[in-house]
Amino acid sequence: MDSPTFGFSSYHVLLAGCGLAIIVAYWLPRFFHGREPAASGLLIIGGLAVFGLLPGVPQALNPIDSPKVWELASEFAVIIALFGTGIRIDRIKGKGLWSPTVRMLAIAMPLCIIAVLFLGMFVGLTIAAAVLLAAVLAPTDPVLAADVQVGPPTEGGEHPVRFALTTEAGLNDGLAFPFVYLAIFIVAASGGMSGWIGEWAGFYVVYKILVGCLAGAAAGWLLGKVLFALPRRNPLADAGTGVIALAGVLVTYGLTELIEGYGFIAAFVMGIVLRRKEEEHAYHARLHSFSSALEHSVTAILLVLLGGAIPALMGYLDWRHAVLGVALIFIFRPLSGMLALWGTPMSIRQRGVVAFYGVRGIGSIYYLAYAGGQLELVDEGALWATVTFTILLSTIVHGFSAGSVVWAATHEGEDPEKRTSEG
C-alpha cells in the first residue's frame, strides 16, 4: 500500500479560504465599540486578501469569463432577499407612508440613471455601455442594507426612514430591469429607435411590471391560504418550517418569469401580501429567520468570491471609471435623493440619511452578468471593474457608518437618557 500523500486541491483551498474570510469578516467587527459596522465590506476585502495572491484564482473567478455562474448565484440571493424584505414589513397603511418611497423611485432613481449615463458617455463609454452601467447601478441592495431597514416581523421598527429605505430596495431591483433591456435593445438594434421603442415601452416597462405586481399579490394570497387556512384544523403554519419561504418564492419567481413578468417585483410583493395574513402569527418570524439566514449565507460567499476576482478586474479600471463610482455614491445619489424628498415631513437629517444610504451590491452583479450573457459587450471589462469598485466603495462607506448614523436619525428628538440607555 502506498504511503499517504498530501495533495493540493484548488477546490478545497477555495472552501477553506472562503470559510476563513467569512469568519474573520463577522468576527472583527466585534472589537468595535457601540454599533458595529456591517460585514459586507470586510467580506470583499477578505476575499481579496485570501484569494487575490493565489496564482490562477482571480482569473478562475472572473465574471467576464463565466457570467452565467454569477448570474444564477446572484439571482438566487436577490429573490430570497426580496421576499425577506417584504415579509418583514409590519405596516403598509398610513397617511403619507409610501410618499418617500414613491419619490425615491419616481424622481431619485431616474435622476441617478441620467447622471451616470451622461458621465459615462463623457468619460468614454459607448451609449449602450453607459445606459447599461446606469441601469446596473440604479437599484439599491435588499441584501446588504440590513442595518438601514425595518426590523423582523412583529418587532416593529417601522420608522419612516427605515420604511423608505426598505421599500425602495424591495421595488427598485425590478424597476431597474427595463433600463437593462433598453441597453440590450440599443446594442442589438441595427436601425433607429422607431423599430423597437414601442415594444420596449409597452412590453418591458408596462406589461412586465404589471404582471410582476399581480403575480406576486396572487401568489402571496394563495400561499397565505395554504399556510394559515387549509386544512382549518391543522394548518401548516402551526408546525411548518421556514423552508416554505424558499419553496414559495421559487414557485412565484419561476412562474412569473414564465409568463414574462418581472420575478423580482413578484417576490417582494408576495412577501408583503403574505405578511398581511394572520399578521400576529409567530410563523412569520420563522419564515423571516429562515430566509434571512439563507440570503446572508449565499451573499457572504458571493462577496468573498467577488473580492477574489478583483485582481482580474482591476486592470480594466482607470481613474475615469473610478470617478463614476465615487460620483454615484457621494454626489448623484445624495443630491437626487434630497431633491426627491423635498417637502416631506422628514427632518433634514432624516432626508439626508435616506438620500445617502443607497447601498449597491448583489443586484448590480446580477444585472451585469445577465446582460453579459445576452450580448457581446464592447466595454465589458470596464463595466465589471466599475461595478465591482462601486460595490466595494459602497459596502465600506455605507456599511461602516450605517449602524450609528441611521440609529441616530431614527431616534431624533427622543429623550437623551432614553437614547443613551438604548444605545
Side-chain angles (χ1 to χ4, degrees), residues 213-224 269-270 273:
C213 292
L214 294 176
W221 179 86
L222 183 60
L223 186 59
V269 173
M270 174 198 172
V273 173

Side-chain angles (χ1 to χ4, degrees), residues 243-332:
V243 72
I244 302 301
L246 173 61
V249 77
L250 291 180
V251 170
T252 302
Y253 184 83
L255 291 180
T256 302
E257 290 290 327
L258 285 174
I259 58 175
E260 298 294 345
Y262 286 130
F264 283 171
I265 293 177
F268 176 66
V269 173
M270 174 198 172
I272 289 182
V273 173
L274 178 61
R275 180 69 184 87
R276 312 280 70 81
K277 186 68 175 179
E278 300 290 338
E279 294 186 32
E280 300 302 320
H281 201 289
Y283 188 66
H284 289 294
R286 294 206 297 274
L287 282 175
H288 176 266
S289 178
F290 180 88
S291 64
S292 179
L294 188 59
E295 75 183 56
H296 281 88
S297 299
V298 176
T299 300
I301 295 173
L302 275 174
L303 292 179
V304 170
L305 297 183
L306 182 66
I310 284 179
L313 296 173
M314 286 304 100
Y316 298 98
L317 185 73
D318 61 26
W319 68 268
R320 296 172 300 168
H321 303 127
V323 165
L324 278 166
V326 172
L328 174 64
I329 300 300
F330 292 103
I331 301 175
F332 298 156

Side-chain angles (χ1 to χ4, degrees), residues 81-378:
L82 289 171
F83 171 79
T85 301
I87 203 73
R88 71 164 61 104
I89 298 175
D90 287 338
R91 181 171 61 95
I92 62 171
K93 296 180 180 179
K95 183 179 179 180
L97 181 64
W98 287 87
S99 176
T101 304
V102 173
R103 287 165 173 256
M104 292 301 294
L105 294 173
I107 300 175
M109 183 175 168
L111 287 177
C112 281
I113 290 175
I114 292 171
V116 174
L117 166 62
F118 281 106
L119 183 58
M121 294 175 62
F122 179 77
V123 300
L125 294 177
T126 64
I127 184 171
V131 171
L132 180 58
L133 182 65
V136 163
L137 291 176
T140 56
D141 201 275
V143 187
L144 305 182
D147 280 347
V148 302
Q149 294 182 0
V150 300
T154 72
E155 291 188 9
E158 304 287 318
H159 190 280
V161 169
R162 294 188 181 277
F163 184 88
L165 288 166
T166 302
T167 50
E168 182 200 6
L171 287 169
N172 64 12
D173 267 290
L175 295 178
F177 228 136
F179 298 98
V180 175
Y181 280 116
L182 178 61
I184 292 175
F185 269 102
I186 292 173
V187 173
S190 56
M193 293 177 60
S194 60
W196 54 264
I197 191 67
E199 178 188 355
W200 174 77
F203 184 72
Y204 291 94
V205 179
V206 178
Y207 174 84
K208 290 174 79 70
I209 291 176
L210 182 61
V211 169
C213 292
L214 294 176
W221 179 86
L222 183 60
L223 186 59
K225 289 290 186 182
V226 171
L227 289 173
F228 296 102
L230 299 172
R232 181 172 300 179
R233 295 184 178 181
N234 187 28
L236 187 58
D238 287 347
T241 67
V243 72
I244 302 301
L246 173 61
V249 77
L250 291 180
V251 170
T252 302
Y253 184 83
L255 291 180
T256 302
E257 290 290 327
L258 285 174
I259 58 175
E260 298 294 345
Y262 286 130
F264 283 171
I265 293 177
F268 176 66
V269 173
M270 174 198 172
I272 289 182
V273 173
L274 178 61
R275 180 69 184 87
R276 312 280 70 81
K277 186 68 175 179
E278 300 290 338
E279 294 186 32
E280 300 302 320
H281 201 289
Y283 188 66
H284 289 294
R286 294 206 297 274
L287 282 175
H288 176 266
S289 178
F290 180 88
S291 64
S292 179
L294 188 59
E295 75 183 56
H296 281 88
S297 299
V298 176
T299 300
I301 295 173
L302 275 174
L303 292 179
V304 170
L305 297 183
L306 182 66
I310 284 179
L313 296 173
M314 286 304 100
Y316 298 98
L317 185 73
D318 61 26
W319 68 268
R320 296 172 300 168
H321 303 127
V323 165
L324 278 166
V326 172
L328 174 64
I329 300 300
F330 292 103
I331 301 175
F332 298 156
R333 164 71 188 203
L335 288 181
S336 62
M338 290 297 287
L339 179 62
L341 296 173
W342 185 265
T344 63
M346 292 180 178
S347 68
I348 292 293
R349 173 192 281 185
Q350 292 169 349
R351 275 181 259 162
V353 168
V354 175
F356 183 73
Y357 283 97
V359 184
R360 266 57 188 178
I362 304 301
S364 296
I365 295 174
Y366 168 74
Y367 280 129
L368 188 51
Y370 175 83
Q374 299 293 313
L375 297 166
E376 290 292 332
L377 301 173
V378 175

